[in-house]
Amino acid sequence: MWVDAGHSAYDLQWLYELREEEEFDELLSGLTDAQVNYVYSYCMNWNPIMEEPFFDYYRLDELDLENLPTFEDEVDEKEEEPEIDLPF
């Protein structure tokens, strides 16, 4: 499929992208789900040429991953909502 798409059989860009993705997953593994969502929402950008979204690694460099918001207030608000007991 790689060669059929017009890429060289000797081009290992897919391998480099896979390694970057694995390193990125390892980097985000210590974060909560809310923090991961925050990182993705901050770093997603639009490519007008390809007309599709992409993850902008340059914006990731702007984030301080050690001091991200904890989003604990949002979790507390969700827990305070009363539960509705439905008859079914």
Side-chain angles (χ1 to χ4, degrees):
M1 289 186 337
W2 181 255
V3 175
D4 289 339
H7 302 286
S8 168
Y10 302 102
D11 184 9
L12 297 178
Q13 184 63 32
W14 64 273
L15 181 61
Y16 300 137
E17 290 175 3
L18 180 63
R19 286 182 183 160
E20 284 178 356
E21 185 176 326
E22 290 174 350
E23 290 172 2
F24 183 67
D25 288 342
E26 184 179 323
L27 179 69
L28 296 181
S29 66
L31 302 178
T32 64
D33 290 339
Q35 289 174 325
V36 170
N37 289 337
Y38 175 78
V39 169
Y40 272 102
S41 67
Y42 183 82
C43 294
M44 290 306 289
N45 209 340
W46 183 258
N47 184 340
I49 297 170
M50 300 296 290
E51 295 186 358
E52 63 183 21
F54 72 98
F55 192 87
D56 191 350
Y57 285 96
Y58 294 112
R59 294 196 74 186
L60 180 65
D61 293 337
E62 297 172 4
L63 284 176
D64 181 12
L65 295 178
E66 299 291 326
N67 297 314
L68 285 175
T70 59
F71 301 105
E72 291 176 1
D73 298 335
E74 294 177 10
V75 173
D76 293 339
E77 289 175 9
K78 290 179 183 176
E79 291 176 0
E80 293 176 5
E81 293 179 7
E83 293 184 20
I84 298 174
D85 189 20
L86 299 174
F88 51 87

